[in-house]
């Protein structure tokens, strides 16, 4: 059974009488443990595709099958539960609460989960440790560098131990050193068995993945394995 199966997915946005086709047709599968980059220029449909397969929006046509279940049959409550339990999100803009500690930012998803309350502190500390920020856990997020903020965002995405980590332009707001550190974390998570699906318009970033799906004008133009995969092995130490 595929983790994700997309069959002829389409997305049309309607504004009054204007229709915009964001995704024409998308057919692909994702297996557990893959590291996939969805790549394309602005307006190619890559973010729309990610929003559909991460339950942030519904397709206008086609089928989206998640873990063998046709998502057309899921109500909004089931979709929200899937977003909270099955999926972790990392965004280009970090989306952290600014005057809130690292610890409390990472704890946020647990508030809406069914994890036992007496396990929350342990889960948060483990997630923060996994991105090398134990020494920053009591800092406010607006006291952190951009790279540290993105590491907090990754820890928050991991705290519920989701099956899939979605990363939307995760290095887009970072300098090259911080970007390399973020890609190192994503590589390590994938090596540990986490499925990673990343949207990027940067070829250098995409080539850290094991597979690249190229989009242009709402259509998949190529779906290839990465033969000469880039690695963040050099400079692997996270800044303290």
């Amino acid at each position: 059974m595929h983790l994700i199966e997309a069959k002829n997915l389409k997305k049309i946005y309607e504004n009054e009488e204007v229709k915009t086709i964001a995704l024409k047709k998308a057919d692909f599968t994702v297996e557990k443990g893959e590291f996939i980059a969805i790549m394309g220029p602005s307006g190619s449909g890559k973010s729309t595709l990610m929003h559909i397969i991460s339950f942030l929006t519904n397709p206008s046509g086609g089928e989206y099958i998640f873990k063998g279940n046709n998502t057309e049959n899921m109500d909004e409550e089931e979709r929200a539960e899937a977003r909270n339990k099955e999926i972790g999100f990392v965004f280009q803009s970090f989306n952290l609460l600014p005057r809130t500690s690292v610890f409390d930012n990472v704890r946020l998803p647990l508030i809406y989960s069914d994890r036992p309350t007496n396990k929350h502190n342990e889960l948060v500390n483990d997630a923060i440790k996994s991105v090398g920020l134990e020494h920053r856990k009591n800092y406010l997020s607006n006291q952190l560098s951009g790279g540290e903020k993105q590491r907090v965002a990754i820890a928050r995405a991991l705290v519920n131990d989701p099956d899939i980590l979605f990363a939307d332009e995760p290095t887009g707001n970072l300098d090259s050193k911080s970007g390399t550190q973020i890609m190192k974390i994503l590589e390590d998570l994938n090596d540990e068995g986490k499925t990673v699906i990343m949207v990027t318009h940067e070829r250098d970033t995409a080539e850290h993945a094991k597979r690249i799906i190229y989009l242009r004008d709402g259509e998949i133009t190529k779906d290839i394995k990465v033969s000469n995969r880039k690695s963040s092995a050099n400079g692997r130490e996270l800044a303290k």
Side-chain angles (χ1 to χ4, degrees), residues 114-138:
D114 55 7
R115 300 292 187 108
T117 306
N118 62 357
K119 293 286 187 184
H120 285 194
N121 285 1
E122 179 184 350
L123 291 168
V124 173
N125 284 322
D126 286 349
I128 292 172
K129 184 178 180 181
S130 73
V131 298
L133 282 181
E134 307 98 301
H135 61 300
R136 292 281 196 261
K137 72 176 183 178
N138 295 318

Side-chain angles (χ1 to χ4, degrees), residues 198-215:
M198 172 179 67
V199 164
T200 183
H201 67 278
E202 298 171 341
R203 181 176 296 277
D204 284 352
T205 301
E207 288 175 350
H208 287 268
K210 296 175 180 174
R211 174 182 164 200
I212 304 176
I213 295 174
Y214 292 89
L215 275 90

